[in-house]
């Protein structure tokens, strides 16, 4: 955004100050300045002059020979401008002057000497118009330097728009002037406003805000008998310096007000628009905007209508059918406030971003609408005194923002800043910025102004930022602050999360990933994963991210698919949120789950699956000091294997599952690879108490191991067999599964370890216990191989 210092100077007296240093100070305190331009600095000895005579050049059809009275003498000049005529008042660069940095000297043009140059607006750098000479219509003495007659010399600086995103008040020169007033300690002049109360008894405008969710305020006024069509020169120059072209008086005034106050306005031709309805339409339709483009407007776009017909896209651009034309002598002036999100989304859908929409997107102050109309009328009546007001100012105020009052003491300021800023300086700073601050005892009270209360200043810390940035961050002394620090006690949940992550990374070499809580419909479809019905997101950014996930595994599988080309074998995990429907209070039932996925092109499905089982088992033994129980379970999701799925239990609580990925899903990832996954409810897991660790003194005598190879059925589990040796003898210290075989029959090998604290056991001594175990196993249908 381009800012004119001449314009700023209308509201705060900056005379006698170094503008370059002041702009640098603005960068440090308010917003980043990208560049500074010195406009009109390359113009010298260009004066107001009158063309006394015009003769055709004897050797050229396009050139003319002029006699020009520049106040000091009559100059001979050669000119090729198509609009040159006798009696015309122009800007004349005398011999020895400069235009655009180019020195003006006596030059021979087509055989005739020219002792100066009549200038166009483009040559002087005050507009882009190069169609002919700049015709000066003001009554000025000949010989008056144009840089004294008009505000051609100016300092213009460019502000990075990104640094103003949270400051809707800075999208106009008046808001910038307020900042300079605070920085310099000089007074901010009020905006000139026409008193419209004498017209309050006139008939109001028919304004109907139908869509009250998206239109917060709509203010209108009707005027007629507009006779002036061209804006004053200084107004046109300021518009050009700030990146806008002059069009006509009414269009220029609305643009001028937008650049001055930050409030977009629109002027409708009263002959075409005499009433207003603000609404959305039920069906999409095509609408031709002021730029002559047919645009497809959908049912979510807010429109300004007259008698049911659309005349403008709210907050973005007017329609071609209601534009101001050269013969327009009456207008309906609009000054409104719209929902920022609606304007941004509509602008994005239409592919149409305008100066107005950029400002509305920032959440403008609705209190500006009436100020803008009153200031508009003040300027219009100064330019065209014969203008008549033919309606009362009609104001439909739908939504008021909450007023924000904040209180704090000096200690709060000192604690946050680390420096001693006086009470007087705090009050002066806040009042200069419009915060209406007062001090009672040791308590400051501030009333956040409307132009800062829409999104910017909401808490006490924001006030500290206002104080310190005007004080100057570069004025802070670098010192170490003193703060009372206390250790933060970790909860059981956070400890379990941290230890589980350390275990998975350090012992098993897994990689942690980070994901979003919603299902990615596009990725799921590619992998044949069904999106299960669950809580949905209203107004999701994309239709692919509407449903919140119930499980971590589909997310893990998607990441496996995206990373499969980087390694032949890897594992990933994440502890994140899932949503299991709604609670009784209507809020989402969020749960924290651990999701794990292993991928391998080198190992068998059995090895990878059992490896995942051991990995999950170690979480229980390390954190709860007792083992998980794995129970064969049915697949509940389409991505789970119908047979190779097991539930994870602890203390008779089902905490999760491990599974091989269904072949229909796995084939989409890699037909030659194995993918297994697991999920654990960390909230439920952390709620279970950890067992007390018991330490047994090892025997100094050697123990004895007995291996039994057993034939078992497909339905029998290790946990069921454990009853056979549960209470045989205290000397049985350990039972381990050391081998398994699946062929014509299924068999396993168990190793029984016996040990005594008093002596070395012999095989004869333990044989009786072994026989008891074999007998009990036989009763279960298990035989020795």
């Amino acid at each position: 955004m381009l800012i004119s210092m001449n314009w700023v100077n209308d509201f705060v007296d900056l005379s006698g100050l170094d503008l370059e240093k002041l702009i640098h100070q603005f960068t440090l305190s308010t917003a980043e300045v990208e560049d500074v331009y010195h406009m009109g600095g390359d113009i010298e000895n260009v004066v107001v002059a009158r063309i006394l005579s015009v003769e055709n050049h004897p050797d050229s059809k396009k050139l003319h020979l002029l006699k020009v009275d520049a106040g000091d003498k009559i100059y001979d000049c050669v000119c090729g401008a198509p609009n040159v005529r006798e009696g015309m008042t122009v800007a004349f660069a005398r011999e020895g002057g400069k235009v655009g940095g180019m020195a003006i000297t006596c030059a021979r043009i087509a055989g005739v000497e020219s002792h100066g140059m009549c200038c166009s607006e483009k040559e002087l750098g005050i507009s882009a118009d190069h169609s002919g000479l700049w015709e000066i219509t003001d009554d000025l003495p000949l010989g008056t330097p144009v840089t004294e007659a008009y505000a051609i010399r100016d300092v213009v600086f460019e502000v990075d728009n990104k640094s103003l995103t949270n400051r809707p008040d800075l999208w106009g020169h008046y808001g910038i002037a307020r900042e300079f007033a605070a920085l310099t300690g000089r007074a901010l002049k009020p905006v000139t406003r026409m008193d419209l109360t004498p017209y309050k008894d006139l008939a109001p405008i028919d304004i109907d805000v139908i869509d009250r969710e998206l239109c917060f305020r709509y203010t209108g006024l009707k005027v007629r008998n507009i006779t002036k069509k061209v804006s004053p020169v200084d107004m046109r120059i300021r518009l050009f310096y700030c990146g806008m072209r002059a069009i006509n008086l009414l269009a220029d005034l609305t643009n001028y007000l937008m650049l001055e106050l930050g409030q977009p306005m629109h002027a409708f031709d009263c002959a075409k628009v005499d009433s207003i309805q603000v609404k959305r339409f039920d069906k999409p339709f095509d609408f031709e905007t002021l730029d002559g483009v047919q645009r497809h407007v959908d049912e979510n776009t807010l429109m300004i209508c007259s008698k049911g017909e659309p005349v403008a896209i709210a907050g973005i651009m007017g329609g071609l059918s209601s534009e101001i034309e050269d013969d327009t002598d009456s207008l309906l002036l609009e000054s409104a406030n719209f929902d920022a999100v609606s304007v941004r989304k509509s602008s994005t859908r239409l592919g149409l971003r305008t100066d107005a929409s950029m400002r509305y997107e920032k959440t403008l102050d609705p209190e500006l609408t009436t100020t803008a109309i009153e200031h508009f009328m003040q300027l219009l009546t100064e330019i065209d005194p014969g203008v008549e007001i033919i309606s009362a100012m009609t104001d439909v105020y739908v939504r008021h923002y909450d007023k924000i009052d904040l209180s704090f003491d000096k200690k709060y300021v000192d604690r946050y800043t680390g420096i001693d800023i006086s009470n007087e300086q705090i009050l002066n700073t806040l009042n200069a910025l419009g915060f209406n601050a007062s001090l009672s005892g040791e308590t400051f009270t501030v009333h956040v102004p409307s132009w800062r209360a829409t999104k910017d200043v909401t808490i006490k810390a924001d006030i500290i930022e206002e104080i310190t940035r005007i004080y100057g961050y570069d004025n802070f002394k670098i010192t170490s602050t003193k703060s009372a620090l206390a250790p933060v006690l970790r909860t059981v949940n956070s400890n379990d999360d941290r230890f589980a992550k350390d275990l998975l990374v350090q012992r098993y070499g897994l990689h942690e990933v980070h994901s979003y809580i919603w299902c990615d419909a596009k990725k799921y479809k590619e992998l044949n994963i069904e999106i299960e019905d669950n809580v949905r997101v209203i107004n999701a950014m994309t239709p692919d991210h509407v449903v919140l996930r119930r499980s971590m595994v589909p997310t893990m599988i998607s990441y496996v698919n995206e990373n499969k080309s980087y390694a032949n074998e890897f594992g990933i995990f994440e502890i994140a949120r899932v949503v299991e429907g709604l609670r009784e209070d209507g809020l989402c039932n969020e749960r924290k789950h651990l999701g794990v996925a292993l991928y391998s092109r080198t190992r068998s499905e059995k090895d990878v699956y059992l490896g995942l089982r051991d990995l999950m088992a170690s979480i229980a033994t390390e954190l709860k000091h007792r083992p998980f129980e794995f129970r064969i379970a049915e697949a509940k999701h389409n991505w789970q294997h119908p047979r190779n799925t097991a539930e994870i239990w602890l203390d008779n609580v089902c905490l999760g599952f491990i599974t091989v990925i269904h072949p229909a899903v796995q084939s989409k990832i890699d037909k030659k690879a194995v993918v297994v996954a697991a999920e654990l409810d960390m909230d439920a897991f952390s709620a279970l108490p950890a067992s007390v660790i018991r330490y047994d003194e090892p025997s100094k005598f050697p123990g004895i191991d007995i291996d039994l190879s057993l034939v078992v059925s497909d339905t029998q589990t290790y946990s069921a067999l454990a009853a056979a040796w549960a209470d045989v003898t205290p000397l049985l210290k350990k039972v381990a599964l050391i081998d398994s075989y699946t062929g014509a029959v299924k068999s396993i090998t168990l190793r029984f370890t016996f040990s005594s604290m008093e002596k070395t056991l012999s095989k004869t001594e333990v044989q009786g216990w072994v026989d008891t175990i074999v007998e009990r196993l036989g009763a279960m249908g298990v035989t020795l191989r």
Side-chain angles (χ1 to χ4, degrees), residues 78 140 204 224 275 323 331 349 393 646 653 721 727:
V78 179
L140 297 169
R224 70 181 178 190
S275 64
E323 72 170 331
L331 63 87
R349 288 193 302 268
M393 182 168 67
V653 178
L721 301 182
D727 55 355

Side-chain angles (χ1 to χ4, degrees), residues 33-307:
V33 174
E34 294 186 326
D35 213 339
V36 180
Y37 310 98
H38 294 270
M39 312 301 291
D42 54 1
I43 296 175
E44 293 181 12
N45 205 12
V46 179
V47 299
V48 177
R50 181 169 292 115
I51 299 173
L52 301 178
S53 65
V54 179
E55 297 180 4
N56 293 330
H57 195 289
D59 298 325
S60 174
K61 294 181 179 180
K62 295 183 178 181
L63 298 177
H64 301 88
L65 305 179
L66 312 181
K67 295 288 186 181
V68 181
D69 183 358
D72 58 340
K73 67 176 184 178
I74 308 299
Y75 290 84
D76 291 320
C77 177
V78 179
C79 178
N83 67 331
V84 64
R85 70 177 190 279
E86 187 177 312
M88 188 178 187
T89 302
V90 297
F92 181 73
R94 294 169 174 161
E95 185 179 347
K98 284 185 179 180
V99 174
M102 178 183 68
I104 304 300
T105 60
C106 177
R108 184 171 289 274
I109 302 174
V112 179
E113 286 187 350
S114 180
H115 296 274
M117 183 177 76
C118 295
C119 303
S120 69
E121 292 183 9
K122 184 175 182 180
E123 287 166 335
L124 292 173
I126 61 173
S127 87
D129 184 9
H130 195 45
S131 60
L133 299 180
W134 173 24
E135 182 172 5
I136 298 174
T137 58
D138 296 308
D139 186 14
L140 297 169
L142 300 182
T144 303
V146 294
T147 54
E148 294 180 8
Y150 301 106
I152 294 175
R153 286 191 174 144
D154 196 358
V155 176
V156 175
F157 63 92
E158 186 173 6
V159 181
D160 177 18
N161 287 353
K162 295 189 296 295
S163 62
L164 302 179
T165 299
N166 68 319
R167 292 290 302 273
D169 61 304
L170 295 185
W171 284 79
H173 280 73
Y174 193 72
I176 300 291
R178 186 184 293 111
E179 293 291 309
F180 281 117
L183 290 172
T184 59
R186 298 189 176 185
L188 178 70
K189 302 172 187 177
V191 175
T192 56
R193 301 163 66 170
M194 182 178 181
D195 182 11
L196 297 178
T197 53
Y199 307 96
K200 63 184 177 60
D201 294 329
L202 295 177
I205 303 172
D206 180 12
I207 298 176
D208 184 11
V209 178
I210 299 171
D211 197 326
R212 302 175 76 86
E213 293 181 1
L214 303 184
C215 180
F216 299 162
R217 192 175 191 182
Y218 199 100
T219 310
L221 184 74
K222 287 183 181 180
V223 297
R224 70 181 178 190
N225 197 32
I226 301 167
T227 58
K228 299 290 180 68
K229 306 300 179 185
V230 181
S231 306
V233 174
D234 283 346
M235 180 178 289
R236 301 201 308 267
I237 291 173
R238 284 185 178 180
L239 289 174
F240 181 70
Y241 283 177
C242 293
M244 287 191 165
R245 64 183 181 91
I247 302 171
N248 55 52
L249 174 60
L250 297 178
D252 292 351
L253 267 175
T254 57
N255 288 333
Y256 191 84
L257 263 292
M258 179 176 66
L259 294 179
E260 186 164 270
L261 299 181
Q263 171 65 43
M265 304 179 74
H266 191 72
F268 297 104
D269 188 333
C270 229
K272 304 171 183 176
V273 177
D274 62 355
S275 64
I276 295 292
Q277 300 87 46
V278 186
K279 66 175 185 176
R280 286 177 283 187
F281 284 81
D282 295 333
K283 297 179 181 179
F285 61 94
D286 291 333
F287 179 74
E288 189 173 7
T289 47
L290 278 172
D291 54 3
V293 177
Q294 284 281 350
R295 302 187 184 276
H296 186 70
V297 177
D298 66 12
E299 61 274 13
N300 295 314
T301 302
L302 189 67
M303 300 296 294
I304 309 299
C305 305
S306 180
K307 296 178 181 177

Side-chain angles (χ1 to χ4, degrees), residues 732-751:
L732 178 59
K733 302 300 183 181
K734 182 180 178 182
V735 180
L737 174 68
I738 61 173
D739 192 18
S740 65
Y741 171 78
T742 302
V745 295
K746 180 179 180 181
S747 68
I748 60 173
T749 300
L750 300 178
R751 175 165 293 167

Side-chain angles (χ1 to χ4, degrees), residues 458-732:
T458 56
I459 58 177
K460 291 189 294 183
D462 296 330
I463 300 296
I464 301 299
E465 181 183 354
E466 297 302 303
I467 297 169
T468 52
R469 68 184 183 83
I470 299 300
Y471 178 83
Y473 297 123
D474 54 327
N475 293 324
F476 276 55
K477 293 181 180 179
I478 301 175
T479 57
S480 298
T481 60
K482 296 180 179 179
S483 300
L485 300 178
V488 178
L489 297 177
R490 291 183 177 271
T491 64
V492 174
N493 297 50
S494 63
N495 272 332
D496 285 350
D497 293 350
R498 183 165 58 91
F499 288 137
K501 289 180 181 181
D502 290 345
L503 181 69
L504 295 175
V505 172
Q506 296 173 8
R507 182 181 298 182
Y508 295 100
L510 269 60
H511 304 275
E512 185 177 10
V513 298
H514 298 279
S515 64
Y516 295 107
I517 197 171
W518 51 73
C519 302
D520 192 318
K522 184 178 180 181
K523 294 179 181 179
Y524 284 21
K525 185 177 181 181
E526 291 175 355
L527 297 175
N528 285 336
I529 297 175
E530 291 180 1
I531 296 181
E532 299 170 357
D533 187 39
N534 201 13
V535 179
R536 294 175 174 267
V537 178
I538 299 175
N539 296 327
M541 294 295 291
T542 166
D544 289 337
H545 299 158
V546 173
V547 182
L548 300 184
R549 66 187 176 195
R550 282 183 172 274
S551 170
M552 290 292 298
V553 172
T555 303
M556 296 296 102
I557 297 173
S558 299
Y559 280 172
V560 166
N561 186 48
E562 292 173 2
N563 292 276
K564 63 188 177 184
S565 59
Y566 294 106
N568 287 329
E569 187 166 349
F570 63 86
I572 58 174
F573 75 93
E574 182 183 15
I575 297 176
R577 299 286 177 177
V578 300
V579 174
E580 298 178 353
L582 297 175
R583 302 198 306 250
E584 291 182 359
D585 59 5
L587 299 179
C588 289
N589 181 23
E590 285 192 44
R591 305 288 296 176
K592 185 168 57 178
H593 282 199
L594 165 66
V596 180
L598 304 182
Y599 169 88
S600 178
R601 289 176 57 91
T602 59
R603 293 190 293 160
S604 68
E605 182 177 279
K606 178 181 178 181
D607 288 342
V608 180
Y609 181 77
L610 294 178
L612 178 61
R613 179 207 62 188
D614 295 342
L615 179 153
M616 298 302 293
S618 66
I619 294 176
T621 55
E622 293 289 340
L623 274 65
K624 300 301 180 184
H625 316 307
R626 56 187 184 277
F628 279 141
E629 180 184 353
F630 296 92
R631 302 178 185 176
I632 299 299
E634 294 182 358
K636 297 179 180 179
H637 310 278
N638 82 309
W639 37 264
Q640 288 180 313
H641 196 283
R643 293 185 59 189
N644 297 330
T645 298
E647 291 177 340
I648 302 172
W649 290 73
L650 184 64
D651 295 349
N652 290 321
V653 178
C654 183
L655 300 176
F657 60 86
I658 61 172
T659 185
V660 174
I661 300 306
H662 195 285
V665 177
Q666 184 170 308
S667 63
K668 293 291 184 179
I669 300 174
D670 189 341
K671 294 181 180 179
K672 297 181 179 180
V674 175
V675 182
V676 298
E679 187 160 356
L680 188 68
D681 187 331
M682 293 300 293
D683 288 332
F685 178 72
S686 297
L688 298 176
S691 297
V692 177
I693 299 177
R694 189 185 70 185
Y695 296 92
D696 290 331
E697 180 184 354
S699 173
K700 62 182 179 181
F701 300 101
I704 186 170
D705 294 335
I706 303 295
D707 292 350
L708 297 179
S709 293
L710 308 170
V711 177
V712 297
S713 68
D714 291 337
T715 59
Q716 288 175 317
T717 62
Y718 179 87
S719 58
L721 301 182
W725 56 81
D727 55 355
V728 169
T729 174
L731 300 183
L732 178 59

